[in-house]
Amino acid sequence: MSFLTPIALPSLPTEVLEIILTHLSQPDLTQCVRVSHAWNKALVPYLWRTLAIHSRHSLKRFITNEAQQALRRNATFVRELHLVHKALYDKSLPCRKTLISDPGVMLLEVYTISLFTNLRALELEPVRLVRPNPEFDLEIFALVRQNPHLRRLLVNVKMDPKTLINLVTKHTPHLGDLDLVVSWRGDVKALLDCLPECIRTVRLRNVVHDAPSNAQGKTSDASDASTTLARHHHALESLHVAGNLAGKQEEVLVPFLESCSPKLKSVGGTGGGMGSYFFGNARIAKILSNLGIVCKELSQYTLPNNVSDADLAELIAANSEWTNIELYTRQVGPQAAAAIVECCEHLEALDIMHNGARGLSGFHLQAVLGKATKLRSLQAHWLLNTDKITAMNILSSQWATTSLEHMDLKIEVQRAIQASRSVQRQVLRRLGQQKKLRKLVIGGMTTDLATGEFVHQRDCLEMTLESGIDELVDLKNLEVLDIHHMDHRAGVPELEWMVANLPRLQILIGMLDTLRPPSDEVREWLSTHRPSWR
Amino acid sequence: MPVTLTSLDDVKFTVDKEVAERSILIKNMIEDVGESDSPIPLPNVSSAVLKKVIEYCEHHRNDPVQVQDETDDPRKRSNDIEEWDMKFMTVDQEMLFEIILAANYLDIKPLLDVGCKTVANIIKGKTPEEIRKVFNIVNDFTPEEEAQIKKENEWAEDR
């Protein structure tokens, strides 16, 4: 350190200067480069590292003579290029003609952005959707070819499938991040299998798998022989695939996943309503489980359309850490039901709402209630038309959870027996112990077994003070109580009780659609005290 | 276990080994030399600066050692400098840069980071004229030259 000359920022060692620069934004740098010759010389290369012009405002300033001349001088510093405006590309980035001769690409003269040869990152985005333009494809192709150090590629322009595959597999040996935003139709398997070994993240946001069908295990071209060599995608950390794999997710994903290492931490790809391909398939789920990736949420959207009971059971059993099982409209047969009970220890939400579950009975729900210590939500609204959850199911064992917030299921309680009110009270006491309960739905039509018609529940809770509604006194968080289409006997005293004891109750449903018409008393009470309750 | 450090201008400072080893350079030198009483020469650091560096290391002697993270987000935030460090860094500019250079030489990453953040915070949000004022820099651009540079880089001004 000399005593005499003051230390100037531009003369700091590069590694130190770069640390300072990581805290400065590009706009900050535009001020810095005007400070002095020394500052200008040192900092212009850093200012020009990223060329990302997103607004018309910036674009206008970029197509000035001064900026264009500066571009020619400084293009060599550009490491990251976002091509957003085609106008930008056409009008203001100097091009030269080049010849493309590459296997798979016709011999063609194209204009390319000749200046950029140092790119590490390239983002291709249209402002408006651009129709597929083969020449534009080839220009991009040429641009990528002249930037062998490219590590990150985001493609949001329509591209010919073959061109894209050649692009990312043959000409970007250092590619670390591929983000394919635009909808792309092509051989997804080929795309994945040929990605460079050093790839770290892959995101295919909307692909449609379209490949000529091969004989089992054989590849179609002799020239693809090199791709049958096993590539180890040992650096892959994240894989997201969404779109339509035409039912071929095993064929497309399994070989690729088998080439990955435990560095793979994140997989997924919901979107476009097509769901994730990773956890809806038992074989794929198993491979992921071996890599340490465990799916916690099973939703009907992750399942193929006609999954059999045995397949569903296998899928559920492949993973014992489910926190959410939401099958809503899906059939749950006996094997799958048993699997749910087996794997429900970590379950927080179980949703088997819809009519059609055959094989999942009240006994299964009883078992889940006895095992799932973290259960917050249990929804089985239509489920138990035939196999109801009975008072006995509810009462026969302790519930493992005290965190229920949402319960939706019909409870069968014999009314004709002498002990009915005592049993009802006990059932309500059980419900009353779930102090976090916010939404309680025990109403809803049931099916007459003989006729198959929808009818009111008859063997149900009376919901009166004599039969134990006061056991719900601790449900201070209850916001919704639904007792519609039940033959309950709640009247004005019960309504008064609710107002006095359930301070948060905003929605009450079921006073006006009882088996017998509601009394005038009830109607009047409701209209004067709680018009929103019905 | 005390360790003696000798500055550029031959001033000796005795500090605890634990404090001295906040500097990876010194830590490695100690490991190479082994148990020895001879002072460690630091010919690149003047006594005034070394005093400040030691003050920092004493205050932070119990901090956990930072792990080198290769995948750090390059867009780091400048606003998380703790209060003591901020007061510590309120020095004249020459000292500020000297501390940064010393932290770089001695390989004391947290001190280097704080110093660099401090400099960045000084620069942020200022016009060229304001930057010149703060760093005592002579403007060696003609008005025409400066206007030209402004036009060349204006596209990058808004974010």
Side-chain angles (χ1 to χ4, degrees):
Chain A
M1 320 283 130
S2 84
F3 308 98
L4 301 173
T5 56
I7 298 160
L9 185 122
S11 59
L12 290 173
T14 314
E15 66 268 23
V16 173
L17 186 61
E18 289 193 348
I19 298 178
I20 297 175
L21 290 174
T22 60
H23 298 289
L24 293 176
S25 65
Q26 205 178 34
D28 290 331
L29 289 179
T30 61
Q31 306 304 299
C32 292
V33 298
R34 286 160 59 188
V35 167
S36 71
H37 275 99
W39 278 54
N40 185 285
K41 188 154 179 243
L43 297 178
V44 157
Y46 294 100
L47 191 160
W48 281 79
R49 269 201 179 170
T50 305
L51 189 49
I53 297 176
H54 292 288
S55 70
R56 290 200 189 287
H57 188 54
S58 306
L59 181 58
K60 264 172 73 174
R61 290 173 166 182
F62 189 71
I63 54 181
T64 60
N65 282 332
E66 291 85 352
Q68 289 294 298
Q69 281 169 26
L71 171 63
R72 278 170 174 74
R73 284 199 315 271
N74 298 321
T76 183
F77 300 126
V78 177
R79 297 278 180 93
E80 188 171 328
L81 176 63
H82 296 210
L83 275 186
V84 176
H85 293 249
K86 184 103 183 5
L88 171 76
Y89 175 76
D90 285 342
K91 289 183 187 142
S92 58
L93 295 175
C95 303
R96 62 139 200 259
K97 272 191 190 176
T98 192
L99 235 45
I100 305 262
S101 63
D102 203 276
V105 178
M106 291 181 338
L107 186 67
L108 202 65
E109 247 183 13
V110 291
Y111 289 90
T112 79
I113 309 170
S114 59
L115 294 174
F116 302 105
T117 54
N118 258 332
L119 292 181
R120 304 287 190 271
L122 177 60
E123 293 194 10
L124 305 168
E125 301 225 45
V127 171
R128 309 180 305 278
L129 284 174
V130 178
R131 279 206 334 260
N133 177 348
E135 281 179 20
F136 190 46
D137 282 4
L138 292 166
E139 288 165 349
I140 301 302
F141 194 79
L143 176 60
V144 170
R145 247 183 16 154
Q146 72 196 32
N147 283 283
H149 298 290
L150 208 58
R151 291 211 184 93
R152 179 174 142 68
L153 181 61
L154 181 147
V155 183
N156 195 4
V157 293
K158 283 200 180 292
M159 265 193 128
D160 169 71
K162 277 225 172 68
T163 311
L164 181 72
I165 292 185
N166 281 331
L167 205 63
V168 302
T169 64
K170 293 189 186 150
H171 296 290
T172 52
H174 301 286
L175 195 65
D177 300 307
L178 173 65
D179 189 344
L180 184 54
V181 180
V182 71
S183 178
W184 182 83
R185 184 181 199 100
D187 189 341
V188 177
K189 178 171 168 27
L191 181 61
L192 286 177
D193 289 350
C194 302
L195 287 171
E197 291 203 332
C198 56
I199 195 102
R200 274 187 338 114
T201 71
V202 177
R203 204 185 169 106
L204 307 180
R205 303 211 200 181
N206 191 3
V207 291
V208 176
H209 183 54
D210 188 356
S213 50
N214 295 327
Q216 298 241 349
K218 282 198 289 182
T219 54
S220 45
D221 280 335
S223 66
D224 281 339
S226 61
T227 68
T228 62
L229 290 173
R231 286 198 192 197
H232 294 285
H233 298 97
H234 49 81
L236 191 69
E237 294 171 19
S238 162
L239 174 64
H240 284 247
V241 177
N244 184 351
L245 296 182
K248 301 219 178 114
Q249 59 260 41
E250 274 195 39
E251 185 186 309
V252 168
L253 295 175
V254 165
F256 184 75
L257 287 172
E258 283 176 340
S259 77
C260 293
S261 78
K263 274 207 167 160
L264 185 58
K265 285 283 167 269
S266 164
V267 296
T270 52
M274 300 315 280
S276 158
Y277 291 101
F278 297 95
F279 302 106
N281 177 294
R283 190 171 163 210
I284 295 178
K286 200 92 188 94
I287 298 175
L288 292 173
S289 172
N290 289 340
L291 290 173
I293 301 177
V294 167
C295 180
K296 306 250 170 143
E297 297 185 13
L298 178 64
S299 117
Q300 60 158 349
Y301 300 109
T302 66
L303 298 175
N305 275 335
N306 289 313
V307 63
S308 72
D309 183 32
D311 283 345
L312 183 54
E314 195 191 341
L315 188 55
I316 294 173
N319 178 1
S320 61
E321 293 184 30
W322 299 109
T323 58
N324 289 57
I325 294 181
E326 278 151 44
L327 296 172
Y328 198 70
T329 58
R330 293 305 179 98
Q331 308 268 351
V332 178
Q335 291 186 58
I340 291 178
V341 170
E342 264 305 300
C343 305
C344 69
E345 271 177 51
H346 301 271
L347 208 57
E348 295 175 25
L350 178 60
D351 175 346
I352 34 178
M353 284 291 278
H354 208 266
N355 192 8
R358 305 268 178 266
L360 200 156
S361 71
F363 288 96
H364 293 106
L365 288 195
Q366 170 188 333
V368 168
L369 282 166
K371 261 179 96 170
T373 54
K374 299 189 185 146
L375 198 63
R376 286 182 298 106
S377 168
L378 177 57
Q379 298 180 72
H381 190 78
W382 278 116
L383 166 67
L384 301 165
N385 283 329
T386 47
D387 301 312
K388 293 189 181 4
I389 194 160
T390 63
M392 191 195 80
N393 293 136
I394 296 236
L395 297 173
S396 58
S397 51
Q398 284 300 329
W399 290 6
T401 176
T402 51
S403 323
L404 273 176
E405 295 174 27
H406 185 170
M407 253 185 102
D408 185 341
L409 42 73
K410 298 188 252 293
I411 304 174
E412 181 184 83
V413 182
Q414 298 289 332
R415 292 270 274 267
I417 58 173
Q418 196 180 27
S420 178
R421 293 217 165 140
S422 161
V423 171
Q424 290 182 50
R425 181 169 285 279
Q426 287 176 61
V427 169
L428 284 161
R429 185 173 300 153
R430 255 328 152 84
L431 295 176
Q433 285 167 350
Q434 297 294 326
K435 296 181 189 171
K436 294 188 183 169
L437 212 49
R438 293 198 348 257
K439 192 167 169 183
L440 178 59
V441 179
I442 48 178
M445 290 210 162
T446 184
T447 325
D448 183 316
L449 284 178
T451 64
E453 287 175 358
F454 286 135
V455 295
H456 278 73
Q457 296 178 58
R458 291 198 184 229
D459 280 316
C460 61
L461 295 168
E462 288 177 88
M463 301 300 281
T464 59
L465 288 165
E466 294 91 27
S467 61
I469 196 176
D470 54 291
E471 300 280 348
L472 302 182
V473 67
D474 285 334
L475 299 187
K476 299 301 183 201
N477 292 311
L478 195 65
E479 296 165 15
V480 176
L481 177 59
D482 182 324
I483 48 177
H484 77 283
H485 290 110
M486 281 166 65
D487 187 20
H488 69 78
R489 301 294 162 84
V492 169
E494 283 71 27
L495 290 168
E496 297 274 345
W497 182 92
M498 288 183 217
V499 167
N501 291 282
L502 305 176
R504 294 229 168 104
L505 191 61
Q506 288 176 11
I507 298 173
L508 174 65
I509 304 174
M511 299 308 294
L512 301 179
D513 49 26
T514 43
L515 196 53
R516 303 161 221 183
S519 66
D520 291 336
E521 264 187 321
V522 166
R523 281 192 199 275
E524 194 177 321
W525 190 97
L526 285 173
S527 66
T528 51
H529 293 81
R530 289 280 187 279
S532 63
W533 288 8
R534 48 186 181 87
Chain B
M1 179 68 189
V3 155
T4 308
L5 308 171
T6 313
S7 71
L8 161 77
D9 40 341
D10 257 336
V11 179
K12 289 188 171 28
F13 295 86
T14 307
V15 294
D16 284 345
K17 185 160 173 254
E18 182 184 57
V19 171
E21 286 188 342
R22 301 302 298 183
S23 153
I24 304 297
L25 179 81
I26 295 176
K27 184 169 191 283
N28 292 339
M29 281 167 98
I30 293 176
E31 277 170 18
D32 290 342
V33 161
E35 296 297 323
S36 161
D37 281 335
S38 41
I40 294 176
L42 300 174
N44 285 3
V45 189
S46 72
S47 54
V49 180
L50 188 52
K51 189 165 176 222
K52 278 294 269 182
V53 170
I54 289 171
E55 186 190 336
Y56 179 89
C57 295
E58 294 260 8
H59 185 261
H60 288 274
R61 64 190 295 164
N62 291 321
D63 285 1
V65 174
Q66 282 191 340
V67 176
Q68 269 305 91
D69 193 346
E70 292 298 325
T71 56
D72 261 338
D73 179 4
R75 286 265 139 243
K76 289 179 246 182
R77 287 166 294 122
S78 299
N79 53 7
D80 49 352
I81 302 181
E82 41 172 283
E83 212 182 308
W84 188 92
D85 286 353
M86 230 186 298
K87 286 205 189 107
F88 175 81
M89 283 293 166
T90 314
V91 291
D92 68 51
Q93 260 171 50
E94 190 172 331
M95 177 58 84
L96 177 56
F97 281 119
E98 299 261 20
I99 291 174
I100 288 175
L101 290 170
N104 190 38
Y105 167 66
L106 294 169
D107 198 349
I108 308 173
K109 193 170 184 321
L111 180 56
L112 179 59
D113 281 348
V114 166
C116 289
K117 274 185 201 170
T118 306
V119 172
N121 284 341
I122 293 173
I123 294 173
K124 254 179 158 8
K126 290 196 168 63
T127 65
E129 185 51 41
E130 287 166 351
I131 296 175
R132 285 183 207 120
K133 234 174 136 175
V134 138
F135 288 112
N136 283 323
I137 300 171
V138 173
N139 183 3
D140 54 0
F141 283 127
T142 66
E144 295 79 24
E145 282 173 331
E146 203 189 321
Q148 163 104 358
I149 294 170
K150 180 169 156 65
K151 262 206 113 72
E152 283 176 357
N153 302 298
E154 239 176 354
W155 55 270
E157 271 178 22
D158 304 318
R159 225 45 191 84

